[in-house]
Amino acid sequence: MPKLSGRHGVVEAKLYLGKANKQPLFVGFGGGGNDWSRSYLKSKRDSLNQKGYAVLAIGYFKTNGTPKYLDRISLDAIRDTILSIAKHSKIDETKIILFGGSRGGELVLNLASRYNEFKGVIAASTSHVSFPALTLYANTSSWTYKSKEIPYVPAPLKTISPAIKGDLYTAYSMMLEDKQAVKRAEIAVENINGPILIISGKDDDQWPATEMSQKIIERLNANNFKHYKKHVILNGGHIEPLKQFNLVYKFLDKHMKVDNVSH
């Protein structure tokens, strides 16, 4: 078992406030680093601010001060960071919505299914289960909750060959063959306290995002999920959901009404 990072529980957070009062908080996670603080997402940050949302960009590994690897990342530390920032006088702390792409999608589903302060989720190119840490041996969980590892689908030895070749799609597909492990590692999405939008590209080459996203909807249906839920399947690959961001704006307009936008 590898040692926990000395930076365990450290989260990088950058807040981008708009001009409105009582701004709902849009919390953005990528698959590594702090994607939502990067220049390539500046236009999306700016347009969210113009629409009356505050944007919080979170880096949970591979950023300054945070753990180097996606390994046993503390959900509690991320939640505490978000909630302390949501106390800002210009933010409406009753309206916190999480957006995550790729492993960040897996993260936001894990967060929102455990903490009811989060009032909605948008998960792009996501999974329906927790996967192992991105470490040499992949023998720990990616996430911890209350200091315990969250159950994950293990990586069997046969995944080493495709992983080394960079064929992640095959590696993840192999992991999903272990039906019992999948059952244990499924995220309890039915506990999410608000509407859910799932977006996938049917030609995703990183992992089987569309099939995994369908499993999320099936689980919500099986548990009579009472909030809005939708899975939009796009033509395109892993980053297609970011290219079709109008879907996100539409979802926010419908479910996260901004009270007063002052330009």
Side-chain angles (χ1 to χ4, degrees):
M1 181 77 72
K3 257 175 65 184
L4 259 185
S5 165
R7 301 166 174 178
H8 179 71
V10 180
V11 178
E12 183 187 273
K14 292 188 176 169
L15 180 63
Y16 302 85
L17 278 171
K19 291 192 169 67
N21 294 314
K22 291 311 233 178
Q23 298 167 51
L25 184 63
F26 176 99
V27 188
F29 299 86
N34 194 347
D35 281 355
W36 277 88
S37 68
R38 293 185 178 144
S39 53
Y40 84 99
L41 286 174
K42 184 181 187 305
S43 64
K44 291 183 173 63
R45 285 198 309 266
D46 290 349
S47 63
L48 283 161
N49 281 164
Q50 278 153 11
K51 287 173 182 290
Y53 295 87
V55 177
L56 179 61
I58 297 245
Y60 51 103
F61 79 105
K62 232 168 44 182
T63 61
N64 281 342
T66 65
K68 194 172 173 186
Y69 302 106
L70 175 54
D71 176 21
R72 290 166 286 177
I73 300 299
S74 167
L75 298 185
D76 303 292
I78 294 173
R79 168 197 178 248
D80 293 348
T81 301
I82 296 169
L83 294 186
S84 67
I85 289 167
K87 292 200 178 331
H88 191 289
S89 60
K90 293 201 94 171
I91 290 173
D92 181 349
E93 63 181 330
T94 68
K95 291 183 180 174
I96 305 174
I97 189 148
L98 307 179
F99 176 96
S102 193
R103 294 303 297 268
E106 179 186 318
L107 169 55
V108 296
L109 293 169
N110 266 303
L111 280 167
S113 63
R114 285 175 173 83
Y115 308 109
N116 65 6
E117 295 97 342
F118 304 130
K119 296 299 193 287
V121 175
I122 304 154
S125 309
T126 187
S127 69
H128 65 307
V129 293
S130 296
F131 280 111
L134 294 178
T135 52
L136 185 57
Y137 297 108
N139 62 347
T140 49
S141 181
S142 296
W143 322 108
T144 64
Y145 172 63
K146 296 187 172 170
S147 303
K148 286 199 171 73
E149 288 191 44
I150 284 175
Y152 63 96
V153 180
L157 285 172
K158 64 180 178 180
T159 57
I160 293 171
S161 169
I164 286 170
K165 292 183 192 133
D167 179 5
L168 295 176
Y169 187 96
T170 298
Y172 281 113
S173 299
M174 284 174 170
M175 289 185 226
L176 292 169
E177 288 166 9
D178 184 344
K179 296 291 178 244
Q180 277 181 306
V182 164
K183 218 176 152 118
R184 278 195 302 273
E186 255 192 48
I187 303 165
V189 286
E190 67 274 12
N191 296 331
I192 292 172
N193 188 22
I196 301 175
L197 175 65
I198 311 285
I199 314 170
S200 69
K202 65 174 170 32
D203 305 313
D204 195 313
D205 62 344
Q206 298 293 305
W207 59 6
T210 296
E211 292 86 334
M212 294 193 294
S213 296
Q214 264 318 108
K215 297 271 188 225
I216 294 169
I217 297 296
E218 285 167 22
R219 182 168 179 135
L220 292 171
N221 288 338
N223 286 281
N224 301 314
F225 186 65
K226 64 179 191 288
H227 302 284
Y228 173 91
K229 59 182 182 303
K230 189 171 190 183
H231 173 207
V232 181
I233 303 170
L234 304 172
N235 291 318
H238 198 62
I239 60 166
E240 192 62 31
L242 272 181
K243 296 179 188 169
Q244 304 214 23
F245 213 70
N246 57 317
L247 293 166
V248 173
Y249 296 136
K250 237 165 78 178
F251 175 80
L252 292 172
D253 288 346
K254 186 174 172 184
H255 299 284
M256 289 282 144
K257 290 258 190 301
V258 177
D259 296 332
N260 56 345
V261 183
S262 51
H263 293 290

